[in-house]
Amino acid sequence: MKIGTPKEIFEGENRVAMTPASAKDLQKLGYECIIETGAGAGAGFSDQAYKDAGVEVAKTAAALYKAADIVAKVRPPSDAEVKKLREGQTLISFFYPAQNKELMEAANAKGATVIAMDMVPRISRAQKMDALSSMANIAGYRAVIEAGNNFGRFFTGQVTAAGKVPPAKVLVVGAGVAGLAAIGTATSLGAITYAFDVRPEVAEQVESMGAEFVFLDFEEEQQDGSATGGYAAVSSPEFAAAQLAKFREIAPDMDIVITTALIPGRDAPELWTKDMVEAMKPGSVIIDLAAERGGNCKLTVKDEKIVTDNGVIIVGYTDFPSRMAAQSSTLYATNIRHMMTDLTPEKDGTPNHNMEDDVIRGATATHKGEITFPPPPPKVAAIAAAPKKEKPKELTAEEKRANEVAAFQKETKTQVGLLAIGAALILGIGLIPGMPASFMQHFIVFVLSVFIGFQVIWNVAHSLHTPLMAVTNAISSIIILGALIQIGSSNALITILAALGIFMAAVNIFGGFLVTRRMLAMFQKS
């Protein structure tokens, strides 16, 4: 069967759903590939590059739709493109069926199967097909680059002969895929980066990337993210009010604000109000990645860049991935290829549309003359909600002291019991008729050394076990002296045991010091 990619007709769209590299992978699955002439030009892929990869180049879109059994594209199809579909043909693209019901019904009337890449369930197995995350990652990165292009200062602070330049302060609202990409980029450029998200559990991710998480003085039971396909759940009015109050407090200090809060299929929540914009310094920049659905900023204008009366620049572009078309096309084409791999388990060039598969079923909007949207929830939850931990009860000083005394008494009783058992054991061995006195002396020393060694090591923190054991093993290997003394024995068995003792003790000595040296080297500056 043939899989084809037409040229995108949406104005300003430079991405393409098939690259020369992905075409080679699709051919390994048994498919023939066809592409409309000029389809990859906006992303830097020439027709010749496709021909070199074994791809047929169609002169017109009509010829491509006629020849291809599977059509892969980026943007949702237009009415004219839907009319080109035929019965049994499969369309793979971003589709947004919740917002394009008429388009979905028209495609279904044609008898076509529609696989919406925006409907891929957010489960672990489907990450390789998650085109929304691929594009969000690029959008987050590009948002910071766009902010730098419009910001009149450095991101990083500098001290020069001409004066001191303070670092830019960047606030990223929303720590999803786009938000984390923006945080990583802003931090790497040297900005002081802050981040906010309604899910406090992402604070560790934010802080691990070098940013500071903005916490609210507000307690609210968090909802399971799987209820919204892995996205942040809608907050309560009280939480939203506390959130806006915090943003008003920090707005005057922020140089760049990047908002990413958006759940597919819903209008963007208003998070950055007019008075917050008015409180910002002249020359500050707002990049609104939710502009396509109304924007997180009150003053955002879709697909435009505006400058407010107080000199704040607000960017509402909706084509950030298209502005990095080569990278976006490569990632999106890879998502398509992974989808085709799941659809073609036998690698025979014939798709097997298994509606029992969570990923395929979740992404399918129409199939065999039926509208299958919305899909049932996946059998595997998108994100497993962490069990809510109860806050430990605050203890008074008297209660803490009582607990410490009880623990000490319990430990003491255990030690006394072990000593009693050990003493009884030694006494029993000593009462055996004919037991040499020299053996009992050595045996008592052995038992005491085991007891003391156990007590010493048991109370050492786990993080210190490796370096401490390495040193003590090396030092305690003085036992090698005993083996050296005994190796000259006239008894062959004793000589063999002494030789083995020398060998193992030598390994212990050299190994212990070698491990210690390597451990210390980890903490030395290169």
Side-chain angles (χ1 to χ4, degrees):
M1 298 182 73
K2 286 188 178 181
I3 178 169
T5 295
K7 183 177 181 179
E8 298 294 325
I9 63 173
F10 189 88
E11 185 178 355
E13 181 56 73
N14 296 315
R15 291 173 292 178
V16 63
M18 182 192 296
T19 64
S22 73
K24 292 180 180 179
D25 292 327
L26 291 171
Q27 289 165 12
K28 292 177 183 178
L29 295 175
Y31 292 100
E32 296 178 36
C33 297
I34 180 172
I35 193 164
E36 182 183 352
T37 182
F45 304 113
S46 65
D47 288 350
Q48 187 59 47
Y50 285 104
K51 290 178 181 178
D52 293 342
V55 180
E56 178 186 348
V57 178
K59 293 183 179 180
T60 63
L64 182 136
Y65 275 90
K66 184 177 180 180
D69 302 289
I70 301 169
V71 176
K73 63 190 308 294
V74 181
R75 290 275 183 169
S78 65
D79 292 336
E81 288 175 315
V82 169
K83 291 179 180 178
K84 292 186 177 73
L85 296 175
R86 65 177 186 273
E87 186 174 356
Q89 199 170 34
T90 298
L91 171 68
I92 304 176
S93 73
F94 285 114
F95 201 89
Y96 308 106
Q99 293 83 50
N100 295 316
K101 292 183 178 180
E102 293 183 0
L103 202 64
M104 179 171 57
E105 291 172 356
N108 185 58
K110 284 284 187 176
T113 294
V114 174
I115 296 178
M117 293 302 291
D118 51 283
M119 291 298 297
V120 171
R122 304 195 101 186
I123 58 178
S124 297
R125 185 171 67 85
Q127 288 182 355
K128 59 188 177 182
M129 293 168 262
D130 190 355
L132 283 177
S133 291
S134 297
M135 298 302 103
N137 181 32
I138 293 172
Y141 172 85
R142 180 69 189 197
V144 177
I145 303 303
E146 199 69 36
N149 185 47
N150 288 278
F151 188 55
R153 296 207 321 265
F154 296 132
F155 268 72
T156 184
Q158 292 190 10
V159 178
T160 69
K164 181 179 179 181
V165 180
K169 292 184 177 181
V170 178
L171 172 65
V172 179
V173 181
V177 176
L180 292 175
I183 291 167
T185 308
T187 303
S188 64
L189 289 174
I192 299 175
T193 309
Y194 302 86
F196 174 82
D197 197 281
V198 298
R199 302 162 294 178
E201 62 267 22
V202 304
E204 291 184 2
Q205 298 179 48
V206 168
E207 291 168 354
S208 69
M209 298 179 74
E212 179 180 335
F213 192 81
V214 178
F215 289 97
L216 300 183
D217 187 16
F218 184 89
E219 293 186 5
E220 180 179 74
E221 182 178 351
Q222 296 299 309
Q223 302 180 42
D224 181 3
S226 62
T228 53
Y231 294 91
V234 178
S235 305
S236 67
E238 294 78 14
F239 184 92
Q243 175 181 282
L244 293 178
K246 187 66 176 181
F247 288 166
R248 287 190 178 92
E249 176 187 337
I250 64 178
D253 294 330
M254 294 300 121
D255 298 305
I256 296 171
V257 176
I258 299 173
T259 62
T260 70
L262 181 64
I263 298 176
R266 299 184 183 179
D267 291 336
E270 184 181 318
L271 304 177
W272 208 258
T273 58
K274 182 180 179 182
D275 60 300
M276 296 177 197
V277 177
E278 293 172 346
M280 297 177 73
K281 300 183 290 289
S284 300
V285 179
I286 298 173
I287 307 292
D288 194 341
L289 292 182
E292 193 162 4
R293 298 292 297 174
N296 295 137
C297 177
K298 178 68 174 178
L299 302 182
T300 297
V301 179
K302 181 179 177 182
D303 291 321
E304 291 185 20
K305 180 177 74 174
I306 65 169
V307 181
T308 64
D309 293 339
N310 62 322
V312 176
I313 301 169
I314 303 176
V315 178
Y317 299 152
T318 60
D319 60 346
F320 285 112
S322 185
R323 290 169 182 257
M324 300 183 68
Q327 184 67 75
S328 300
S329 298
T330 299
L331 294 183
Y332 182 68
T334 302
N335 294 141
I336 294 284
R337 190 255 299 174
H338 283 304
M339 176 62 75
M340 294 308 304
T341 300
D342 268 29
L343 283 167
T344 321
E346 302 298 327
K347 298 183 180 181
D348 56 357
T350 303
N352 176 19
H353 204 100
N354 181 13
M355 294 294 276
E356 297 298 318
D357 185 291
D358 274 346
V359 178
I360 296 174
R361 175 66 186 88
T364 302
T366 68
H367 183 57
K368 292 185 177 180
E370 294 183 5
I371 293 178
T372 58
F373 177 84
K379 301 181 185 71
V380 180
I383 295 178
K388 187 178 180 181
K389 297 180 180 179
E390 294 184 2
K391 291 185 178 180
K393 179 184 177 182
E394 290 290 337
L395 300 178
T396 63
E398 292 77 8
E399 290 174 329
K400 291 180 180 178
R401 178 61 181 170
N403 289 343
E404 291 173 358
V405 171
F408 176 76
Q409 291 175 344
K410 182 178 179 181
E411 184 178 356
T412 302
K413 289 179 180 179
T414 302
Q415 292 178 354
V416 170
L418 290 174
L419 285 172
I421 294 172
L425 181 62
I426 293 173
L427 180 62
I429 295 175
L431 294 175
I432 296 176
M435 184 63 64
S438 60
F439 172 80
M440 288 304 300
Q441 290 175 358
H442 290 304
F443 184 69
I444 292 172
V445 171
F446 172 74
V447 171
L448 290 176
S449 64
V450 169
F451 177 76
I452 293 172
F454 176 78
Q455 292 298 319
V456 171
I457 299 301
W458 185 260
N459 293 317
V460 173
H462 295 295
S463 59
L464 295 177
H465 272 182
T466 299
L468 179 65
M469 290 297 291
V471 176
T472 54
N473 283 350
I475 296 174
S476 65
S477 290
I478 197 165
I479 194 173
I480 197 172
L481 295 177
L484 288 171
I485 293 172
Q486 295 297 328
I487 199 170
S489 174
S490 58
N491 189 310
L493 178 60
I494 293 176
T495 301
I496 293 172
L497 292 175
L500 291 173
I502 292 173
F503 173 74
M504 289 185 285
V507 171
N508 208 24
I509 291 172
F510 292 108
F513 282 116
L514 181 61
V515 169
T516 303
R517 182 180 179 183
R518 294 187 66 179
M519 291 288 295
L520 293 174
M522 294 172 60
F523 300 96
Q524 293 177 350
K525 293 183 178 179
S526 57

